[in-house]
Amino acid sequence: MAVAAFVLGSVLVSGVLSRTVSYPDLTPRLSSEIKDLINEVLEHGRGKQTYESQIQAVEIEGWGHTLPRLGQISGVSVDEQGRPVIFHRGPTKWLSRSFNESFIFQEQSQGPIPVDTVLTLDPQSGMIESSWGRNIFYMPHGITICTHTGDIWLTDVALHQVFKYESGQEEPSFVLGVAFEPGSDDGHLCQPTSVAVASTGDVFVADGYCNSRIMRFTSDGVFVNEMGSGMGELRLTLPHGITLLEERDAVCVADRETRRLVCLKAGLSQDAHDQGGDVLGEFQDPAMGRTFGIASYGGLLFVVAGQTDDTENMGLTIDPVAGKILDEWAPKRGFKAPHAVAVSPDAGEIYVSEIGPNRIHKFVLV
C-alpha cells in the first residue's frame, strides 16, 4: 500500500491506494447514466465503495483489429463528433540513432513521411473514415483535438514543433517552434510531446524530452509563461502527457521517468497576476510504471503506464482529490507498450494507442 496526496481546489486530501477487479461481465450503460453516476458520487463523497464497484473500464474486444498495417501509433485523440483520431509514424521508427546528443534529428535527408499520418476512425467499427498528413511530418508524437473548436494540435519531435490546424483546413494556422532547431527559449521547443487546450483558448505544451517544462500560449500562439522547471525536488523530468482539470484550475502531467503524475495550477482565472505554475500535488504508486499518457473525464484522470521490469502495463482510473486508484484495466491480451490515451467527452469511451505492436484499443466506462 502507498499513500498519495493531491492539493486540488485548495483542499489537501490523502488516501490509501486501492485495487479493483477488472473485466466485469456487464452491459455498457448509456453515457448519460455514466455522467449521472460520476456527478452523484462527486456530490456525496469521494472514495466510496459504490464508486469503485460501479464505474469500471471494459474492453470492446476485437475493435480496430481490422485496421491495415500502421506505423508506430504515437498519439490518439477524439474529435467533436466522438470519433477517435490517431497519429502514426508510417515507415519511420524512433531508433537510438534517430537523434544525436544535441537532440538534432539525423534522418532529415530522407524527407517527410510519405503516407497519411492522421487517421479518423469510425467509433463503432474502428475502420478508417478519412486520412491526411502525408509529406508533412518527420516523427509524429502527440495529437489533441479541441472539442470546443475542432482545432487539431500535433507535435513532431523531429521538427521540434507544434502545429495548429483549424477544422477543415489543409494548412496550419500557425506553428510553434523552429523546424529542426531544438532550443530552450520562448521561441524554441525541444522534442515537444503533448498539448492540452482549455475552453478559454489557453494552450499548454509539454516540452518535453529535452526541456522538461510546460509552456503556456494564447490561442493564437503568443507565449504567456513557462511552468514546471522551478519546482525543486518536484521538478519535471520528462512531461510525456498532459491534460486539464478546468473545474479545479489544474493542469496535470504524466512525468514519465519519475513514474508519477504532477498537477500544477493552470492559472485560468481572469486575474492578470495569476500565471499558474504552483504545484498542487503529485501522485505515485509502487505498482505504477512509467506514466506515458493521461486524459481526464468527469473529474477523473485516466492514465496508461508501465513498460518497466517490475510493473505491469495497465490503464488506471484515478480520483485526483481522494488520491485513489479506482480501477485498473487492460485488454485481455494485455498491453505491450501503451503510449497515449484519450477519452470521449460525451460517451465515456476510452482509446489507447500502442507502439510496437502498433494497435489501438477501445474501452467503455460501465
Side-chain angles (χ1 to χ4, degrees):
M1 293 291 185
V3 175
F6 275 86
V7 186
L8 295 180
S10 301
V11 178
L12 171 62
V13 186
S14 63
V16 178
L17 301 183
S18 61
R19 296 290 180 267
T20 59
V21 179
S22 300
Y23 308 123
D25 183 16
L26 299 172
T27 301
R29 307 296 189 199
L30 296 175
S31 61
S32 60
E33 294 177 341
I34 297 171
K35 288 183 177 181
D36 290 344
L37 178 57
I38 291 175
N39 290 333
E40 179 181 348
V41 175
L42 292 178
E43 284 184 17
H44 292 92
R46 294 180 171 273
K48 292 186 178 181
Q49 183 62 31
T50 54
Y51 198 0
E52 298 183 37
S53 63
Q54 291 189 48
I55 299 178
Q56 299 181 11
V58 176
E59 177 191 16
I60 303 300
E61 293 186 56
W63 188 91
H65 289 183
T66 57
L67 282 169
R69 189 179 184 88
L70 300 173
Q72 295 177 332
I73 308 175
S74 59
V76 60
S77 190
V78 181
D79 69 12
E80 65 275 21
Q81 299 179 46
R83 301 175 299 182
V85 184
I86 60 176
F87 198 24
H88 79 112
R89 295 172 180 162
T92 299
K93 295 182 179 180
W94 191 340
L95 305 173
S96 59
R97 64 175 183 269
S98 297
F99 296 86
N100 66 14
E101 293 182 355
S102 299
F103 306 106
I104 296 175
F105 187 55
Q106 299 297 288
E107 300 170 356
Q108 181 180 349
S109 61
Q110 297 183 15
I113 297 171
V115 301
D116 285 351
T117 54
V118 183
L119 311 180
T120 300
L121 309 181
D122 182 284
Q124 301 304 318
S125 67
M127 298 297 291
I128 298 173
E129 287 192 355
S130 61
S131 64
W132 61 279
R134 66 177 60 201
N135 296 320
I136 301 174
F137 305 104
Y138 285 76
M139 189 70 76
H141 198 277
I143 177 172
T144 299
I145 300 176
C146 179
T147 55
H148 306 291
T149 62
D151 298 337
I152 301 177
W153 297 79
L154 301 159
T155 68
D156 189 308
V157 292
L159 288 165
H160 305 289
Q161 290 179 307
V162 174
F163 299 81
K164 176 186 177 181
Y165 285 85
E166 295 183 7
S167 181
Q169 299 301 308
E170 297 182 356
E171 298 292 333
S173 56
F174 66 80
V175 180
L176 303 174
V178 181
F180 299 111
E181 191 174 299
S184 57
D185 58 26
D186 297 351
H188 288 80
L189 303 171
C190 190
Q191 294 182 337
T193 55
S194 185
V195 174
V197 184
S199 59
T200 59
D202 292 88
V203 179
F204 298 82
V205 176
D207 180 42
Y209 285 88
C210 326
N211 288 328
S212 304
R213 62 183 180 176
I214 305 300
M215 302 285 280
R216 180 181 175 187
F217 300 88
T218 65
S219 60
D220 53 358
V222 177
F223 173 75
V224 177
N225 65 307
E226 175 185 324
M227 305 177 182
S229 58
M231 297 163 49
E233 294 182 356
L234 287 177
R235 179 185 176 91
L236 300 176
T237 59
L238 202 172
H240 196 267
I242 187 170
T243 193
L244 284 161
L245 291 171
E246 289 198 50
E247 68 276 13
R248 299 195 176 276
D249 194 23
V251 54
C252 296
V253 182
D255 195 29
R256 196 183 80 178
E257 296 308 297
T258 56
R259 305 188 186 191
R260 63 177 178 157
L261 310 178
V262 179
C263 289
L264 308 174
K265 194 173 191 302
L268 297 176
S269 70
Q270 300 300 315
D271 185 351
H273 299 288
D274 183 9
Q275 294 294 297
D278 294 338
V279 179
L280 298 180
E282 65 173 344
F283 181 95
Q284 288 183 298
D285 175 57
M288 186 167 68
R290 293 191 294 168
T291 49
F292 281 80
I294 185 171
S296 60
Y297 174 77
L300 304 178
L301 296 176
F302 298 83
V303 179
V304 288
Q307 300 190 37
T308 51
D309 293 335
D310 58 340
T311 61
E312 296 183 13
N313 298 323
M314 67 178 70
L316 303 168
T317 304
I318 296 173
D319 180 339
V321 174
K324 299 185 68 174
I325 295 177
L326 303 179
D327 188 21
E328 298 176 1
W329 40 273
K332 287 188 175 180
R333 294 190 299 167
F335 286 126
K336 299 297 183 183
H339 194 260
V341 60
V343 183
S344 167
D346 295 322
E349 298 170 334
I350 305 170
Y351 298 94
V352 176
S353 67
E354 291 198 81
I355 289 180
N358 307 316
R359 60 189 181 188
I360 184 82
H361 303 275
K362 179 179 178 178
F363 301 80
V364 294
L365 291 174
V366 300

